[in-house]
Amino acid sequence: MPILSTKLLTKHFDGVYAVNKLSIGFEAGKVTGIIGPNGSGKSTLINTLTGMIGADRGEIVISGGEGLKRVYAHEVPTFGMTRTFQDVKLFEQMPVLDNILVVLTERSIWKSLFEKHGAFHLEKAEEVLKKVGLWEKRNELAKNLSYGQRKLLEIARVLAMIHSGVGDINIIFLDEPFAGLFPEMIKIVTAVMKELRAEGKAVILVEHNMDLIRELSDHIYVLDSGELLAEGAPAEVLSRRDVVEAYLGE
């Protein structure tokens, strides 16, 4: 049974259907790729599933529960989900280390800033920052990081949330995590994703790099004009003529 699924999920803007009667599912312990040309509905789908916007019709089913008409952003951690964004969202005026420590607490942001963090929080922060290669940047303000380093910090924040002991995060959305990364950074994020899959997490990957989709995805969905064009194993789906025509414009 999928850990997350949609039933006839529909969202339109001014009469244009960004997502149209979409019924798909995501399984634990697998990386599921979502691909499609620009405007195919990928971002709208992810934003609907993570509470950024509401659907017009259809249902979202999480962990076999009752169908939900919508998920609200503040409920996302409660449902065991977290995400990254194309436009990286960090606490710009805070050091790298504090960006992680804020995630490692259930308290409000302001209270966590003035909290004397214990050994557990500091140990976890060091662990995730070393994993993404940012430990040496721990005292640097987030705003001073390069674009690639900012994306790595957002990945580190996701890891901190998963391993904080606060809640039970099992569904991770990664929205174009490789965009703008140097090869060594790509290796880091690839290793993180493989580790999350090995831990039994459901990883949902939106990505344009087909080599990475082939390497990392167990299953892919191809969207076109808000509808499901194809699904299946990457090698099979990416060889289909209709997918090549829709996605590559051939």
Side-chain angles (χ1 to χ4, degrees), residues 49-184:
L49 293 174
T50 58
M52 306 302 292
I53 57 176
D56 296 313
R57 291 189 298 277
E59 294 181 340
I60 300 169
V61 180
I62 304 171
S63 299
E66 295 184 2
L68 303 171
K69 297 302 181 184
R70 83 159 287 176
V71 173
Y72 292 91
H74 70 274
E75 297 175 325
V76 168
T78 304
F79 287 122
M81 300 190 293
T82 188
R83 67 169 295 179
T84 66
F85 294 84
Q86 290 182 38
D87 182 17
V88 182
K89 300 182 183 299
L90 302 171
F91 296 108
E92 302 287 347
Q93 301 298 327
M94 291 168 53
V96 167
L97 180 60
D98 285 347
N99 265 269
I100 300 300
L101 291 174
V102 165
V103 176
L104 287 168
T105 176
E106 288 183 284
R107 303 165 183 79
S108 70
I109 293 172
W110 294 111
K111 286 183 178 180
S112 68
L113 286 175
F114 296 102
E115 175 186 4
K116 183 177 180 181
H117 293 278
F120 172 81
H121 291 153
L122 293 171
E123 179 182 343
K124 288 297 179 183
E126 180 177 355
E127 178 183 320
V128 298
L129 287 175
K130 283 184 175 179
K131 183 165 291 188
V132 301
L134 289 179
W135 179 244
E136 299 302 322
K137 295 284 185 179
R138 61 188 179 278
N139 296 319
E140 189 79 42
L141 292 181
K143 69 175 185 177
N144 294 333
L145 297 179
S146 69
Y147 178 76
Q149 290 169 339
R150 289 163 58 82
K151 298 204 83 166
L152 291 176
L153 179 54
E154 191 172 43
I155 295 289
R157 283 162 54 88
V158 167
L159 293 175
M161 180 175 291
I162 292 170
H163 299 296
S164 66
V166 177
D168 190 10
I169 303 298
N170 289 307
I171 305 168
I172 300 101
F173 295 88
L174 300 177
D175 196 352
E176 298 191 24
F178 297 102
L181 297 189
F182 292 116
E184 288 305 313

Side-chain angles (χ1 to χ4, degrees), residues 169-208:
I169 303 298
N170 289 307
I171 305 168
I172 300 101
F173 295 88
L174 300 177
D175 196 352
E176 298 191 24
F178 297 102
L181 297 189
F182 292 116
E184 288 305 313
M185 293 178 174
I186 289 176
K187 290 180 181 178
I188 291 172
V189 178
T190 295
V192 167
M193 289 183 59
K194 290 179 178 179
E195 183 177 312
L196 291 173
R197 175 171 57 193
E199 292 175 357
K201 309 298 184 184
V203 180
I204 296 99
L205 171 65
V206 176
E207 181 54 47
H208 286 290

